Each structure stands twice: as C-alpha cells, then as structure tokens.
Amino acid sequence: MTGTSFDLWAPFFVAGAVAAVMTPFAIWLAPRIGAMDIPKDNRRVHNKPMPRFGGIAIFAGIMVGLLVFAREDRGMVPVMVGCAMIYVLGAIDDLKNLRPLVKLLGQIFCASVSFAMGLRIPFITNYFGEGNMVFGEVACYIMTVLWLIAITNAVNLIDGLDGLAAGISAISALCIGFVAFIHGHYVPTVGMMVIAGAALGFLPYNFHPARIFMGDGGSQLLGFAIAAMSILGTVKSAAVVVVAIPAIVLGLPIFDTIMAIVRRVMRRQSIGTADKEHLHHRIMKAGFGQRRAVLLMYCISGILGIMAVMYSRELMVECFGLAAIAIILVGVVLTDTGNNKVNVRGKRIGREPRDEDKRK
C-alpha cells in the first residue's frame, strides 16, 4: 500500500470542497434552464418546485478529484469517460424527462463504451470450488454491463427523500474504499474517497429541508461511479472486492430495486413505472418523518458497510450477526401497521390554521 494519510484524505476534501462550492451555482442555474422538479402527483414528497440540477456539483467534485489525484492511472480513463457520459445522460433526463426505455438504452451505451475502453469484470470468486470463475469475452461484457446498469439504477431509484442517495452513496463509497485500502489497492481507495467527498460536499444543501435535488444526473452518476470504481483493474487480485463487497454495502438500494421490479412484474406493469411503495416511502408510512427515515436508512447502510468489511476479512460470524441486525431493523419498520395512514407528502409551508379558522 502506498500513500500517506494526507494522500488518502486530500482527495476526499478536495472533491467535497468543489461540490460544496458548485452547489449554490447549481441552485442559481436550475430555474434558468428549466431544471425544476414540480410536484405534479402524489408520489412526490415535496410541495413546491425544487431545483434538480445538483448533479453538476457532484460531477465537478468527482472529475476534479480524479484529475488531480488519479490522472496518472490508465485504468481511471474508462471510469472517467463513463462517468461523464452517464452524467450527460442524466442531465438530459432532468431537462427533457426521457422515457424509461431511452434512458436504459443510454445506460447500456455508456456501460458498453467503458467496457470497450478496458473496464471489465473478467472473473468472480468461485464459491463452489477453488480459484475463480473466468469469463469469456461475451460473458465478461454481459456481466460488466449488467453490473454497471444495476448499481446505477439502484442508486437512482433510492433517490426519493432529501439527502438519502447522497448519504448512502457516501457511506457505501467509504466502506468500499476501506476494503480496497486493507487489501492494499491505492487507486480504487482514492477513487472511492473522491466519490464520498463529492457526495458529502453536496449533502448539506440536500439534507431535509433540501434546497436542491441532485436529479438523475447526480444519482445515476453516483451509482455508475461506485460500480465502475469497484471493478477497476487494480482490484482484480482481490476478487471479493469486485462484486461481493459492493453488493453487500449497497444492499439497501439493491433490495429496494429488486422488490420494485418484482412488484411491478406481478402487477403486469412496466418495470419503469413509478410508484410510492419504495422502502423509504414505507418507512415514512410507518410514522417516521423525512429526516428520521433518512437517518434510519443511513444506520442500516452503515451496518451493511461494516458487515462488508467483516466479510472481506473472513469474519463470518460477525458478518452474519450484523446481517441479522439489519434484517430485523428493516423487518420491524416494514411490519409496523399502526401508522399506515400517515401522509408521506411534505407539509406545506405556512401558518397552521387556528381553531376559529377551522370553524369558519
């Protein structure tokens, strides 16, 4: 392992500072270019138009951080190109509201370009025997593209409450970065620190009550960046880091995505159909406000992150113990039927009516 503490934390603080400085600019720019989230249906949890162009601040933080601290690593080139392309796709979606199929085809194209430039999963750990399962070219392409698209959409779908996607992305990136660190891989560690810094630099403006949303540009970028950084060529010697660790750390958004797909297939709906039954919506229906619901999901993500670190060190007893705690927490929230009629829309800003006003 190379690099001092300064070498590892400097990317975090630089990316965070850039994102924090750029976010007020994004708040100013959004209404001028029409990048506003207007609550047109009951699925939204906010009641007033909100800027949704915060992804440009996250993008700036990630790009500056990688250019300053990881530009000499050739493996970073396909990551940066893919991140730039997926951000542009998301920004166009924020402005034009692309159809789900168009967005999916765009994601496949972005992932394919990164694959063609050398970003790929050539093997995974063989859990049924010794060594690794090596993929052929076609299988390698399918696995890489599916992984990139799956994590991109998992983070995108969980971006439903103020600060949720930014916080969970930061927690996930820090945990994956720590695993890369203890396995002796400097470049992915720096990359994950950059992602975490950019997400946390944006978070103060996005935490409830939010002043700006990251939009699809931000949420797709964070998902793609985490997925791409976790499969950099520099971590191939630690096969466990490639898929298993990110899958555990991102267990919450992955679980939410799988349940959304199952729910829509059973109802014979398009998997791109929006609804109000995501995990964060159900937590709010259990009686939690936005802030407490987000903090609860942070805690669960943190538990999963620690679980991933334990798994990477082959501490399986501790790993299963933490998994049980996370499952119990989710189960307790989702099975609480005492507050099913709680309204998950945000309260309107203004004076509460007095008793005499109500009588009128």
Side-chain angles (χ1 to χ4, degrees):
M1 179 72 192
T2 61
T4 63
S5 295
F6 174 81
D7 295 327
L8 297 178
W9 284 106
F12 174 86
F13 288 113
V14 168
V18 172
V21 169
M22 284 292 296
T23 303
F25 169 73
I27 295 173
W28 173 86
L29 180 64
R32 288 163 174 77
I33 61 175
M36 299 294 292
D37 192 307
I38 300 173
K40 299 178 180 178
D41 53 53
N42 288 329
R43 189 174 60 86
R44 304 301 202 277
V45 296
H46 60 287
N47 284 303
K48 61 180 181 179
M50 290 287 294
R52 62 172 180 184
F53 209 59
I56 192 172
I58 298 173
F59 175 71
I62 291 176
M63 288 296 117
V64 170
L66 294 180
L67 284 171
V68 172
F69 297 99
R71 64 182 181 274
E72 296 180 0
D73 186 84
R74 291 185 177 181
M76 196 62 72
V77 175
V79 175
M80 296 180 68
V81 171
C83 286
M85 293 177 65
I86 203 74
Y87 169 70
V88 171
L89 175 68
I92 293 173
D93 189 28
D94 290 331
L95 293 170
K96 302 295 184 181
N97 291 318
L98 300 175
R99 290 182 297 171
L101 179 59
V102 174
K103 186 161 63 173
L104 177 61
L105 292 175
Q107 292 171 352
I108 293 174
F109 178 75
C110 296
S112 298
V113 170
S114 293
F115 174 84
M117 295 181 69
L119 183 69
R120 52 191 63 192
I121 303 175
F123 60 82
I124 60 172
T125 301
N126 182 7
Y127 293 99
F128 303 101
E130 296 182 358
N132 298 315
M133 298 174 62
V134 181
F135 298 125
E137 190 70 12
V138 174
C140 180
Y141 169 77
I142 294 173
M143 281 293 297
T144 303
V145 171
L146 280 178
W147 172 252
L148 292 171
I149 292 175
I151 301 304
T152 297
N153 285 296
V155 176
N156 181 229
L157 285 176
I158 208 168
D159 182 28
L161 298 180
D162 296 350
L164 184 56
I168 287 182
S169 295
I171 292 169
S172 301
L174 287 171
C175 291
I176 298 171
F178 181 68
V179 172
F181 174 83
I182 62 179
H183 280 84
H185 302 292
Y186 176 70
V187 173
T189 302
V190 170
M192 290 296 177
M193 295 297 280
V194 165
I195 296 170
L200 290 178
F202 171 74
L203 185 58
Y205 299 92
N206 184 235
F207 197 72
H208 187 72
R211 295 171 56 191
I212 187 172
F213 296 157
M214 67 173 64
D216 272 19
S219 58
Q220 289 191 71
L221 169 62
L222 285 172
F224 189 94
I226 291 173
M229 207 70 69
S230 67
I231 59 174
L232 275 178
T234 47
V235 298
K236 289 179 181 176
S237 62
V240 70
V241 179
V242 176
V243 174
I245 297 302
I248 294 172
V249 173
L250 292 164
L252 209 55
I254 290 174
F255 170 78
D256 189 48
T257 301
I258 292 172
M259 293 305 297
I261 293 173
V262 171
R263 184 169 62 246
R264 291 161 191 174
V265 169
M266 291 181 64
R267 294 175 179 174
R268 298 183 180 180
Q269 298 175 331
S270 167
I271 60 173
T273 303
D275 61 31
K276 207 171 186 179
E277 297 183 37
H278 288 287
L279 183 60
H280 48 273
H281 290 134
R282 298 185 65 181
I283 291 176
M284 287 188 67
K285 287 180 180 178
F288 293 83
Q290 273 209 60
R291 189 186 295 265
R292 290 195 299 160
V294 168
L295 291 175
L296 174 61
M297 294 186 75
Y298 285 176
C299 291
I300 297 173
S301 292
I303 292 172
L304 292 174
I306 298 172
M307 174 182 162
V309 174
M310 297 293 185
Y311 180 82
S312 73
R313 305 303 297 267
E314 299 184 356
L315 299 172
M316 302 310 294
V317 174
E318 294 85 347
C319 179
F320 286 121
L322 289 171
I325 293 172
I327 291 171
I328 291 171
L329 280 174
V330 175
V332 167
V333 171
L334 296 186
T335 56
D336 183 357
T337 59
N339 295 288
N340 283 339
K341 295 183 180 180
V342 173
N343 187 357
V344 299
R345 285 185 65 82
K347 294 181 179 179
R348 293 191 179 276
I349 298 175
R351 178 179 61 85
E352 288 294 327
R354 295 172 296 183
D355 290 340
E356 55 266 33
D357 294 332
K358 294 178 182 178
R359 287 195 290 271
K360 291 178 182 178

